[in-house]
């Protein structure tokens, strides 16, 4: 069931998130044993051509998603009208058609499930239609569809994902021609071009659901199917959409910090990791400052308290951006390094792919604030002693 009504939570603890003060001791003990076996994703594994834009970046990729061919199983098991819509919407929206088909299978068996709310009415949570959009005001599922489940196209409100996908003048949550493109837009709005697993998680907040959808997507594809192209792009991006190099810091020292952090892209996330083979979020930024001889605290909560704080809108490359995702009392559970143009480099979570560049003002990201460690008096003293 689609989950627009539920705020995206912090990463589930069993999938990995930024290390906390209480857990860091265990994490550090494990790093030495675990990191040795971690496989590093080499930068050379990615295509060096810069030919397309993702978010605020110009990155490496094909200009459009390479749609998988339909497997024999897909041809035999997906109703012909649904298969045609999945493929057409995938091409139009630039999203893998078989991911949409995976969602359709898990939510309603492509409209064939005989439970409530598939072809009329709502289920017990207020979800409706083959893609199970929340379509009832005041229900647990809310109204992510927007407006009535079935309405004239001219009555469609600004809010919600409902649309007239087949141009018949009606916005109908029960019509797959309307519901499937709406589901595609929902996934895109929740980061499908950046991280497909996270986008599917946004559709229904459970990692088993993500695995289920991807499992069906693999069965529907003829041959191997890969969803990590956008992560590869973020790993290999070198230019902003304006053609300027990313991560241009205001001074040489800060540039060294930013360059060190960017050089870690492609390495995997590891809870409790402080390098050199893998990192968690706070471990990455700590080591970046350490590379120039600056010592900052180890975990994100202490890094936030360390400061000094910078007003939003005045952040610049080298600053740290903190997110209120799991820390108690407003303390942050995640941190990234600002590299300019609304972008940061971060180690996000186990299921989120390797260290990469992403936008920090993205849907579902609650920014707590920014700090500038190089302006801390202790760091200034450390750097001054080195220069003597």
């Amino acid at each position: 069931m689609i989950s627009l009504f539920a705020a995206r939570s912090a990463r589930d603890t069993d999938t990995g998130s930024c290390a906390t003060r209480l857990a860091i001791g265990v994490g550090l003990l494990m790093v030495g044993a675990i990191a040795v076996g971690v496989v590093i994703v080499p930068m050379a594994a990615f295509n060096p051509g810069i030919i397309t834009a993702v978010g605020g970046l110009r990155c490496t990729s094909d200009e459009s998603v390479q749609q998988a061919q339909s497997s024999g199983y897909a041809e035999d098991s997906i109703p012909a009208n649904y298969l045609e819509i999945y493929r057409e919407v995938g091409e139009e929206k630039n999203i893998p058609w078989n991911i949409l088909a995976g969602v359709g299978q898990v939510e309603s068996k492509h409209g064939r499930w005989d439970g409530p709310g598939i072809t009329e009415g709502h289920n017990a949570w207020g979800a409706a239609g083959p893609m199970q959009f929340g379509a009832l005001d005041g229900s647990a599922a809310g109204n992510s569809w927007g407006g009535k489940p079935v309405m004239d196209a001219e009555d469609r409100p600004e809010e919600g994902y409902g649309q007239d996908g087949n141009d018949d003048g009606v916005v109908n949550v029960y019509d797959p021609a309307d519901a499937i493109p709406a589901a595609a837009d929902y996934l895109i709005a929740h980061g499908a071009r950046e991280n497909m697993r996270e986008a599917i998680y946004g559709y229904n907040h459970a990692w088993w659901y993500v695995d289920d959808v991807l499992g069906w997507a693999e069965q529907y594809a003829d041959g191997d199917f890969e969803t990590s192209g956008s992560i590869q792009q973020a790993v290999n991006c070198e230019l902003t959409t304006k053609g300027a190099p990313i991560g241009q810091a205001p001074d040489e020292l800060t540039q060294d910090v930013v360059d060190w952090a960017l050089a870690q892209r492609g390495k995997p996330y590891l809870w409790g990791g402080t390098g050199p083979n893998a990192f968690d979020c706070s471990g990455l930024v700590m080591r970046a400052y350490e590379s120039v001889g600056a010592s900052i605290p180890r975990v994100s909560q202490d890094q936030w308290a360390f400061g000094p704080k910078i007003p939003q809108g005045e952040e610049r490359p080298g600053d740290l951006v903190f997110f209120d995702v799991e820390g108690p009392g407003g303390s942050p559970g995640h941190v990234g390094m600002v590299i300019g143009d609304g972008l940061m480099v971060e180690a996000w979570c186990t299921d989120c792919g390797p260290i990469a560049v992403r936008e920090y003002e993205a849907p579902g990201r609650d920014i707590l604030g920014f700090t500038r460690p190089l302006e801390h008096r202790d760091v200034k003293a450390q750097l001054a002693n080195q220069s003597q």
Side-chain angles (χ1 to χ4, degrees):
M1 182 173 63
I2 203 162
S3 300
L4 181 60
F5 60 92
R8 190 165 75 175
S9 66
R11 308 288 85 74
D12 289 354
T13 55
D14 62 347
T15 60
S17 63
C18 236
T20 63
R21 186 182 300 107
L22 293 175
I24 198 65
V26 175
L28 287 173
L29 289 174
M30 295 175 63
V31 167
I34 296 174
V36 172
V38 171
V39 177
I40 300 174
V41 181
M43 296 296 291
F46 304 113
N47 181 348
I50 300 175
I51 54 179
T52 194
V54 173
L57 305 172
R58 285 175 58 190
C59 314
T60 62
S61 177
D62 295 330
E63 291 186 351
S64 62
V65 170
Q66 295 297 309
Q67 299 290 340
Q69 295 297 310
S70 305
S71 66
Y73 179 77
E75 299 284 349
D76 293 339
S77 64
I78 300 176
N81 63 321
Y82 274 76
L83 181 58
E84 181 180 1
I85 296 169
Y86 290 137
R87 294 200 64 91
E88 288 179 352
V89 172
E91 292 283 354
E92 176 188 350
K93 303 286 188 178
N94 202 26
I95 186 172
W97 73 268
N98 47 326
I99 291 289
L100 297 172
V103 172
Q105 163 63 25
V106 177
E107 294 291 353
S108 72
K109 297 183 179 178
H110 313 298
R112 293 174 297 190
W113 187 55
D114 59 4
I118 304 301
T119 59
E120 63 180 1
H122 308 82
N123 67 14
W125 295 274
M131 306 304 278
Q132 289 290 273
F133 270 89
L136 181 63
D137 290 332
S139 68
N143 195 345
S144 55
W145 183 253
K148 298 178 180 180
V150 182
M151 57 189 155
D152 291 338
E154 61 185 20
D155 295 331
R156 180 193 182 280
E158 291 292 329
E159 298 78 17
Y161 291 87
Q163 56 191 270
D164 181 10
N166 57 358
D167 296 320
D168 64 355
V170 179
V171 178
N172 186 350
V173 75
Y174 308 107
D175 187 341
D178 295 346
I180 292 171
D185 283 351
Y186 185 94
L187 289 170
I188 291 167
H190 285 73
R193 301 239 170 89
E194 180 185 56
N195 189 315
M196 185 61 75
R197 286 186 62 87
E198 282 289 308
I200 299 170
Y201 182 83
Y203 207 98
N204 191 342
H205 288 183
W207 289 113
W208 65 260
Y209 177 88
V210 176
D211 292 335
D212 213 6
V213 167
L214 290 174
W216 285 106
E218 290 176 1
Q219 291 190 60
Y220 293 148
D222 184 15
D224 294 335
F225 173 64
E226 177 60 61
T227 65
S228 62
S230 57
I231 295 175
Q232 293 179 7
Q233 294 166 350
V235 167
N236 209 39
C237 288
E238 298 297 340
L239 301 178
T240 69
T241 52
K242 297 179 181 180
I246 62 173
Q248 296 301 291
D251 56 74
E252 184 175 348
L253 182 67
T254 309
Q255 189 68 62
D256 289 342
V257 173
V258 171
D259 288 346
W260 191 96
L262 286 172
Q264 310 314 306
R265 288 180 296 171
K267 294 182 179 180
Y269 175 95
L270 177 67
W271 183 78
T274 58
N277 296 325
F279 300 84
D280 66 17
C281 65
S282 54
L284 173 68
V285 299
M286 178 191 72
R287 294 300 189 200
Y289 283 101
E290 187 179 271
S291 72
V292 298
S295 177
I296 68 171
R298 164 66 183 94
V299 299
S300 59
Q301 293 91 341
D302 293 337
Q303 290 171 352
W304 170 243
F306 187 72
K309 307 295 192 298
I310 300 297
Q312 186 163 359
E314 297 182 16
E315 69 272 16
R316 66 191 190 192
D319 292 347
L320 301 183
V321 53
F322 294 85
F323 300 89
D324 187 10
V325 295
E326 61 183 19
S331 64
H334 184 59
V335 61
M337 180 177 292
V338 174
I339 63 168
D341 300 291
L343 304 170
M344 64 178 169
V345 58
E346 66 170 349
W348 194 356
C349 73
T350 303
D351 289 317
C352 306
I355 296 168
V357 170
R358 298 181 177 92
E359 295 175 307
Y360 50 80
E361 292 189 271
R365 295 205 158 204
D366 186 7
I367 295 176
L368 185 63
F370 300 82
T371 69
R372 186 167 296 160
L374 289 178
E375 292 299 318
H376 193 283
R377 63 180 182 276
D378 292 347
V379 170
K380 286 184 173 181
Q382 293 166 12
L383 297 173
N385 289 336
Q386 291 179 37
S387 63
Q388 293 176 359

